[in-house]
Amino acid sequence: MNGGPPSRYAPPSGYGEPHLGDGWGLTRLTAPSRLFGANGLRAGPDGRVYIAQVTGSQISALNIDTAELDTVSAKGGDIVAPDDVAFGPDGTLIATEVMDGRVSVLERGRTRVLRDDVPSANGITVHRGRLFIGECREGGRLLELDLAGGEPRVLLENVPSPNAMEFGPDGMLYFPVMGANEIWRIDPDGGKHSQAERVAGDLGVPDAVKFDADGRIVSTQVHSGQVLRIDPRTGERTVLAQLNPGLDNLTFADGRLFVSNFTGEITEILGDGATRALLPGGLNWPMDLAVAHDGSVYVADGTYLYGLRPDGSLDTIGMLFSPGYPGFIRGVAVAGPGELVVTTSGGQVARYWPQRSESEFLVDGLDQLYGIALAPGGTPVVAEFGTGRVLAIHQHGPETLADGLAQPVGVAIGPDGAPLVAESGAGRVVKIVGSQKESVLDGLQRPQGLLVVDDQLYVVDAGAQSVLTVDLTTGARHTIAAGLPIGPPPGVEPKPLRGMPPFSGPQGPFAGITAGPDGTLFVAADGEGSVLALRRAAQVVT
């Protein structure tokens, strides 16, 4: 994925001008994200393309001629983690909320919940005034929902992860089945096709189905990155475009074909294999950062792990559907050349060798992990947000170093080898000495990422949208930068993202920090989806 050259910093919408400490400069290494992921797509009655963003927890409308974006349902609003959208007979927007297991209707600026008992609600379509949805989970169901709020009708049960669906010209409901790597169809009214039929198989993990003007299936393939056209009558297949893996959905608008990617990229398929990026991809919400042995920066972006080059370009190291990827990555530490140790939102700690496409789980089943650090000797140390514990991960299992902490997230190792932990719920950083906790820095709002360089502790305070440092010897404290796009904009209170098993556990923000060999501080600016660089004046890139 391409980024861009480092640029002077200009604040994004909703954030103020940054304030820098004496002698510090600020540059943006990657472009801010236009979208925070892109999932469900649907052409609306007004001709715009409506985009559901799961991790961004918002819905946007895109003008396909000008690339102008308008927010339809904002982060922090009543619709949480929307995965797909459709429009009712009267033009009202209907969205599936995959993490909350809901279907909601947005009409005249007000939201009402239609159903809240449809786990992993994902694919959705409206056909002749009737509403159909699917549950993207193992053993998922296809349902017809009553727009008036009555009991749903079950069309099919025990489907291995059905996804974005559409009706064909034959009146049959077509849907991808990710767990089977196939496309199926069913007659929603029974009849001779009351049982599901296989239409196509041996694909690239299809996750959406739509139809072109000639009645042919067009389907995105999340694993292979192909946009496929399939004639359901003959089985003939044509690759319309080869894009990056991570494709999610597609729609036709004004006769033009657009596809979405987990990165937030919206691509127009032009024909003869040609494509045009209408919106560039970006970071969903960069979390932890680490410096590789070659000086490049690893960026943990959940679904993706990237390498950030000095020119601001991003190389995909691994992603959720690539071999050996350990899962939705949040914390990352470098254990050796080509070897990482990571935490995932699924509660796992793993060793990961991206070039070998291999990973090894050290522990599983922990409760919401974020940061990770390696103690002297290489033992991973993690903070377990859900239980308030700090754990050392040994070959024989986890060892509790401390418990009773209030929402611990970031971890670092002090000069004396003792773990330092960002206790975000208590607004402080503590040092673990034996089984005791000693306060190192208090009076913070919501500390997250930690970094130790020599005797200096650097802290990302997401609540204060600042980066500060404290001398571990003298206790002297200084603010390096404030007013950064870290955390939500002022006045926005994001709703919890409960996760999408088996793809991810609960998802929460975590703004990490690391340092390069020259002392440059790299900061995850999750509020705008970028990586920032803080440098002393002599280092500033213009």
Side-chain angles (χ1 to χ4, degrees):
M1 187 176 83
N2 293 326
S7 63
R8 290 187 178 275
Y9 181 82
S13 175
Y15 296 89
E17 289 283 347
H19 304 285
L20 300 176
D22 290 343
W24 287 92
L26 175 65
T27 53
R28 181 188 279 122
L29 299 181
T30 66
S33 298
R34 295 287 304 277
L35 296 170
F36 292 87
N39 304 105
L41 293 183
R42 181 78 61 173
D46 58 4
R48 296 185 296 176
V49 169
Y50 286 70
I51 308 166
Q53 300 155 69
V54 174
T55 54
S57 204
Q58 62 185 20
I59 300 172
S60 301
L62 172 66
N63 184 310
I64 60 175
D65 295 318
T66 66
E68 179 182 0
L69 279 169
D70 293 311
T71 300
V72 175
S73 177
K75 186 175 186 175
D78 292 330
I79 295 178
V80 180
D83 206 323
D84 205 357
V85 293
F87 290 90
D90 59 355
T92 56
L93 185 147
I94 310 169
T96 51
E97 299 171 84
V98 65
M99 295 191 186
D100 282 41
R102 296 192 309 209
V103 178
S104 289
V105 179
L106 177 63
E107 48 192 351
R108 294 182 293 277
R110 299 173 65 92
T111 302
R112 63 180 174 90
V113 176
L114 183 63
R115 302 293 310 182
D116 62 0
D117 56 355
V118 280
S120 299
N122 194 324
I124 182 171
T125 192
V126 173
H127 180 65
R128 296 179 178 174
R130 298 163 64 183
L131 172 62
F132 299 85
I133 73 150
E135 299 170 340
C136 189
R137 60 185 177 92
E138 189 64 33
R141 301 176 296 171
L142 295 188
L143 304 169
E144 180 177 0
L145 301 188
D146 183 353
L147 283 165
E151 285 300 306
R153 183 170 71 91
V154 179
L155 275 66
L156 195 61
E157 296 183 284
N158 297 316
V159 185
S161 299
N163 210 319
M165 60 186 69
E166 190 61 284
F167 275 81
D170 57 1
M172 303 272 280
L173 179 59
Y174 288 72
F175 53 99
V177 183
M178 297 177 68
N181 195 25
E182 297 174 345
I183 294 172
W184 296 359
R185 68 180 179 182
I186 191 171
D187 185 342
D189 296 318
K192 67 177 182 178
H193 297 294
S194 61
Q195 299 299 315
E197 299 176 342
R198 178 181 180 271
V199 177
D202 191 24
L203 302 169
V205 187
D207 52 354
V209 165
K210 299 285 170 65
F211 282 84
D212 67 13
D214 296 319
R216 295 171 297 190
I217 295 168
V218 181
S219 175
T220 46
Q221 312 296 300
V222 64
H223 183 267
S224 68
Q226 289 182 335
V227 182
L228 282 181
R229 185 175 65 206
I230 304 170
D231 191 323
R233 297 161 292 239
T234 66
E236 179 185 1
R237 302 183 188 186
T238 303
V239 177
L240 299 180
Q242 177 64 64
L243 300 172
N244 291 324
L247 299 185
D248 196 320
N249 211 313
L250 68 149
T251 195
F252 288 91
D254 194 25
R256 299 157 63 184
L257 172 58
F258 300 89
V259 302
S260 63
N261 191 289
F262 295 154
T263 64
E265 184 172 17
I266 304 296
T267 303
E268 182 175 4
I269 311 303
L270 301 174
D272 296 325
T275 63
R276 179 176 73 95
L278 185 59
L279 289 181
L283 297 168
N284 279 353
W285 51 0
M287 287 174 277
D288 209 4
L289 306 169
V291 174
H293 284 78
D294 63 2
S296 62
V297 179
Y298 288 111
V299 184
D301 197 36
T303 305
Y304 292 82
L305 178 70
Y306 295 109
L308 173 62
R309 296 187 178 191
D311 65 359
S313 62
L314 290 165
D315 295 324
T316 300
I317 304 299
M319 61 90 64
L320 196 59
F321 289 91
S322 61
Y325 196 73
F328 190 98
I329 294 178
R330 288 204 280 221
V332 58
V334 176
E339 180 182 345
L340 307 175
V341 184
V342 302
T343 62
T344 77
S345 70
Q348 298 135 335
V349 180
R351 295 193 182 277
Y352 179 36
W353 298 270
Q355 292 182 333
R356 291 160 41 185
S357 299
E358 294 178 6
S359 60
E360 173 193 3
F361 291 106
L362 304 178
V363 68
D364 195 355
L366 299 180
D367 189 351
Q368 300 179 63
L369 302 177
Y370 288 89
I372 185 169
L374 301 182
T379 299
V381 178
V382 299
E384 192 178 21
F385 182 91
T387 64
R389 298 187 299 172
V390 178
L391 305 171
I393 309 301
H394 303 290
Q395 289 294 333
H396 60 272
E399 173 195 2
T400 300
L401 302 180
D403 56 17
L405 284 85
Q407 300 177 347
V409 285
V411 182
I413 303 299
D416 59 358
L420 301 168
V421 183
E423 197 175 3
S424 65
R428 64 176 186 168
V429 178
V430 296
K431 178 179 179 180
I432 308 302
V433 181
S435 60
Q436 302 299 310
K437 303 177 286 287
E438 298 180 359
S439 181
V440 172
L441 184 64
D442 55 21
L444 306 174
Q445 292 189 32
R446 194 168 64 252
Q448 292 183 349
L450 300 183
L451 168 70
V452 172
V453 179
D454 298 326
D455 60 352
Q456 295 293 311
L457 169 66
Y458 297 91
V459 182
V460 179
D461 187 348
Q465 298 177 328
S466 65
V467 176
L468 59 147
T469 182
V470 60
D471 189 307
L472 293 171
T473 301
T474 67
R477 167 178 173 170
H478 301 284
T479 297
I480 294 173
L484 301 177
I486 298 168
V492 174
E493 284 291 335
K495 304 290 178 60
L497 302 182
R498 306 180 192 281
M500 298 179 291
F503 302 112
S504 82
Q507 299 180 11
F510 175 60
I513 183 171
T514 191
D518 63 354
T520 298
L521 300 177
F522 300 98
V523 181
D526 61 324
E528 68 168 14
S530 76
V531 176
L532 305 178
L534 288 164
R535 298 180 174 94
R536 296 192 180 276
Q539 301 174 289
V540 172
V541 174
T542 59

